Amino acid sequence: MPFNTFENLSVHKIKMDPALARRIEEQSNKIQLYEGARPGVYFLSNFSLKNLAARKHHKFELIKTYKGKKIPVRLDFPSQSVFFAPPDSEATQEVLAKAMAQQRNNKKVQVLYWGRVGGNNSHSFTLDRPGGKRRYHWEIPTKVNQTQDIRSLFPNLIRRIKDPNTKVIVSFGSGGIRLFAHPSLMKFFHLLNLRDQIDEVWGCSGGALAGLLFSLDVSPDLIEEEGYNLYNERYSFRLSPSVFQVLFNIIKESVFLSSDEMLKGFMDCQNTIRQLMGKHTKKQRPKIPFFCITYNLKACRNEILTPNKGPWNSYDLPIFQAKAMDAVIASSSIPILYVPKVIMRGKTNHHYVDGATTEELPLQSPYKKWRQDRKSGREKRKKLLVIAVDLFPRIGENKLFSNYLFQRIPFFSFLQLSANFADLVREARILDQKSPLLHDKDVTLWNLQLPMKGTALIDTRSIPEVIVTAQKAFFEQLRQIEKSEKR
């Protein structure tokens, strides 16, 4: 939520017979009335007003509606927990109505939000919309509390992102189930009212899934909620093959060495991704231009897929328009584990696998596109800011390597050595792809990293740890970036 602008929020002031008001509150858990200084005058939220208006036999007079900046309340966030569990708009309107009922002498009322873990003293209270069960902790101090608002800790980041001469790109890296780390950064943009400053969203593999949802303006809380749904097995699908499937396919591939067999993979992830994403992407188009990295098996190259229309033929880069869902499925088809995604373009079938094959953290592709946009005159801004989230799941730390049955196969040590070597190659490749950006004086790269070890790519049991680790680590890393941006 932006700094006390209360955009799209409103509080209503009504006049009603006090006896009727008491009776309504006793009969309904969907209406909450907050009595003001004058008897018979009440403040209420949109949610309560809607339910009150539905009771046509209950008479009341709407005196005034306060909207946005006209709401005489100062809402402060003294705890960093606001990044992890920000209040939703309905709960916020409820506390604004409660605060306005306590207004005296036309002075602004201060409200402190302490997150969902409780305040620092006995004066805090829990409040959600009427009938809601979420435990948002608030405090309305009798005197103005000078506690520093957590959002005021990032003036340099805000200034840098809002620079009119800078193009801002967000890059969500691959990482399988680690994609549920990405909402922690999204919450940062939402809280500081910076989402509208993002010019392009790029993603690869799991980062493509998160990136598409972010570009569609899906709430970060909803994305995290889907993660917990996966963790709690509320979906019927599987994201990973069993150990026996892996062993069987390894033996089969060692006997049948044809390329067709190698392309089949263990599982088809398409229905899985459609079930997970469908309800959020149906009949929507990205509000921020979205691009994802894929690897074309036939052409043996990275390609960029986007649901956005554009003059893509005029670029030297291989950029192609595709349906949003097809694009993210192609970007997320992990080689060997999942079958490739086939996309028809013209009269030709193109087989795509995970873009992390060569560019797991989109850096060089958005950088090259920006350079070409600058050269062609499509982009007038002289500066580029790339905010990248590097999840870097190490293959060698996959829990599969600690499985007893897996360790018994004859060439296990070779597989583990190969996995560790692959991690070193991937790390070197990412550093190499960062180099042009770091050496360009017109480009700034903010790189966030998820400090986790031993997390499997598709082990849903690790989702809560991924979310909690990202919340803590990203906040501290953003604080370090803030310090580095001081003039």
Side-chain angles (χ1 to χ4, degrees):
M1 182 177 300
F3 284 89
N4 292 309
T5 60
F6 305 135
E7 186 177 357
N8 299 322
L9 302 187
S10 57
V11 174
H12 310 280
K13 182 179 180 181
I14 67 169
K15 188 175 182 181
M16 175 183 282
D17 178 66
L20 176 59
R22 287 192 295 270
R23 189 161 64 251
I24 289 174
E25 289 194 304
E26 290 172 358
Q27 296 175 353
S28 175
N29 67 344
K30 299 296 184 181
I31 301 173
Q32 181 66 56
L33 304 173
Y34 302 98
E35 189 169 16
R38 296 171 56 190
V41 174
Y42 299 89
F43 294 87
L44 68 166
S45 63
N46 271 341
F47 183 85
S48 291
L49 181 65
K50 180 180 178 181
N51 287 295
L52 180 61
R55 295 168 168 254
K56 296 181 180 180
H57 57 286
H58 290 158
K59 295 183 179 181
F60 67 92
E61 177 188 351
L62 179 61
I63 301 174
K64 186 175 182 180
T65 293
Y66 300 83
K67 295 182 178 180
K69 295 179 180 180
K70 300 294 184 180
I71 299 174
V73 177
R74 168 184 164 184
L75 178 57
D76 290 328
F77 299 98
S79 170
Q80 73 180 58
S81 63
V82 67
F83 283 111
F84 316 147
D88 78 347
S89 59
E90 288 183 331
T92 302
Q93 287 183 86
E94 203 63 35
V95 79
L96 293 178
K98 182 180 178 71
M100 287 190 64
Q102 299 184 28
Q103 185 188 30
R104 301 293 184 271
N105 301 322
N106 293 321
K107 292 183 178 180
K108 270 196 173 186
V109 182
Q110 184 185 34
V111 175
L112 304 178
Y113 174 67
W114 292 104
R116 298 181 71 169
V117 294
N120 291 338
N121 55 57
S122 60
H123 298 295
S124 65
F125 57 90
T126 60
L127 184 65
D128 193 4
R129 65 166 177 78
K133 297 180 180 180
R134 296 164 296 189
R135 296 184 61 81
Y136 296 116
H137 290 258
W138 314 86
E139 181 185 351
I140 302 178
T142 54
K143 294 183 179 180
V144 175
N145 190 313
Q146 298 301 325
T147 303
Q148 186 177 33
D149 188 300
I150 200 72
R151 297 169 298 182
S152 65
L153 298 176
F154 299 97
N156 296 310
L157 267 71
I158 295 171
R159 172 185 53 79
R160 188 74 175 81
I161 292 174
K162 288 188 173 182
D163 178 15
N165 199 35
T166 298
K167 179 174 183 175
V168 182
I169 291 175
V170 176
S171 172
F172 295 117
S174 67
I177 216 68
R178 292 186 175 204
L179 74 92
F180 292 105
H182 293 309
S184 293
L185 178 61
M186 299 177 194
K187 289 181 180 181
F188 175 80
F189 294 132
H190 277 267
L191 180 68
L192 299 185
N193 198 26
L194 295 172
R195 188 184 179 282
D196 291 343
Q197 307 298 318
I198 308 302
D199 297 294
E200 290 178 359
V201 177
W202 290 68
C204 180
S205 192
L209 300 180
L212 176 60
L213 294 175
F214 181 63
S215 70
L216 291 168
D217 201 18
V218 176
S219 165
D221 290 318
L222 283 179
I223 301 175
E224 284 187 354
E225 183 179 320
E226 292 292 8
Y228 285 113
N229 287 338
L230 281 172
Y231 171 74
N232 290 310
E233 299 181 346
R234 293 188 178 127
Y235 289 106
S236 58
F237 53 71
R238 287 172 55 89
L239 284 175
S240 60
S242 67
V243 173
F244 292 102
Q245 282 179 284
V246 174
L247 292 173
F248 176 78
N249 277 270
I250 288 175
I251 294 171
K252 183 178 70 173
E253 302 303 340
S254 66
V255 177
F256 304 102
L257 297 178
S258 70
S259 59
D260 289 341
E261 287 293 324
M262 291 295 289
L263 286 177
K264 285 184 178 179
F266 295 146
M267 301 179 69
D268 189 339
C269 69
Q270 298 186 33
N271 290 333
T272 298
I273 293 177
R274 290 186 190 280
Q275 187 177 347
L276 185 65
M277 303 272 290
K279 60 185 176 183
H280 302 299
T281 60
K282 195 174 183 180
K283 295 182 181 180
Q284 291 192 62
R285 298 191 66 83
K287 295 178 175 60
I288 304 175
F290 168 72
F291 303 86
C292 66
I293 306 296
T294 62
Y295 187 80
N296 188 319
L297 288 170
K298 299 294 184 182
C300 297
R301 68 178 184 182
N302 260 17
E303 290 185 357
I304 303 163
L305 300 183
T306 175
N308 306 103
K309 294 180 180 179
W312 309 130
N313 290 335
S314 64
Y315 285 83
D316 292 337
L317 293 167
I319 306 177
F320 302 99
Q321 187 176 359
K323 293 180 180 178
M325 191 65 73
D326 288 344
V328 296
I329 290 174
S331 184
S332 305
S333 297
I334 302 173
I336 301 177
L337 282 180
Y338 299 140
V339 298
K341 170 63 179 173
V342 180
I343 296 178
M344 173 76 76
R345 195 161 56 244
K347 296 183 179 181
T348 305
N349 281 331
H350 296 267
H351 295 75
Y352 290 101
V353 294
D354 197 324
T357 304
T358 55
E359 191 178 357
E360 62 188 85
L361 181 61
L363 292 174
Q364 64 176 7
S365 293
Y367 174 65
K368 288 179 179 178
K369 178 180 177 296
W370 175 73
R371 290 281 302 270
Q372 291 187 28
D373 286 340
R374 287 280 298 140
K375 186 177 181 180
S376 67
R378 285 185 290 260
E379 177 58 67
K380 303 298 183 182
R381 290 167 292 187
K382 299 180 180 179
K383 302 290 184 179
L384 174 67
L385 171 62
V386 179
I387 307 171
V389 182
D390 183 2
L391 303 181
F392 196 72
R394 293 182 176 274
I395 301 173
E397 294 176 353
N398 193 299
K399 293 180 181 179
L400 188 64
F401 288 103
S402 62
N403 181 273
Y404 175 80
L405 289 175
F406 199 73
Q407 291 177 346
R408 300 277 72 80
I409 63 177
F411 43 91
F412 167 75
S413 59
F414 173 75
L415 288 174
Q416 190 169 42
L417 179 63
S418 299
N420 291 330
F421 178 72
D423 287 333
L424 292 174
V425 171
R426 289 167 56 224
E427 192 168 14
R429 184 181 65 209
I430 292 174
L431 290 173
D432 183 61
Q433 292 171 353
K434 286 180 181 178
S435 182
L437 285 75
L438 295 174
H439 288 88
D440 189 327
K441 61 181 179 59
D442 294 324
V443 178
T444 301
L445 173 62
W446 292 348
N447 190 40
L448 302 179
Q449 294 182 311
L450 184 69
M452 281 187 67
K453 294 184 177 181
T455 303
L457 280 172
I458 43 183
D459 182 7
T460 57
R461 294 171 297 179
S462 65
I463 290 175
E465 183 185 359
V466 168
I467 293 173
V468 172
T469 302
Q471 289 173 345
K472 294 179 180 179
F474 290 179
F475 178 82
E476 293 303 324
Q477 291 173 40
L478 288 166
R479 291 284 288 128
Q480 291 302 315
I481 294 173
E482 168 66 25
K483 292 179 182 178
S484 70
E485 284 293 318
K486 287 184 178 180
R487 288 176 171 174

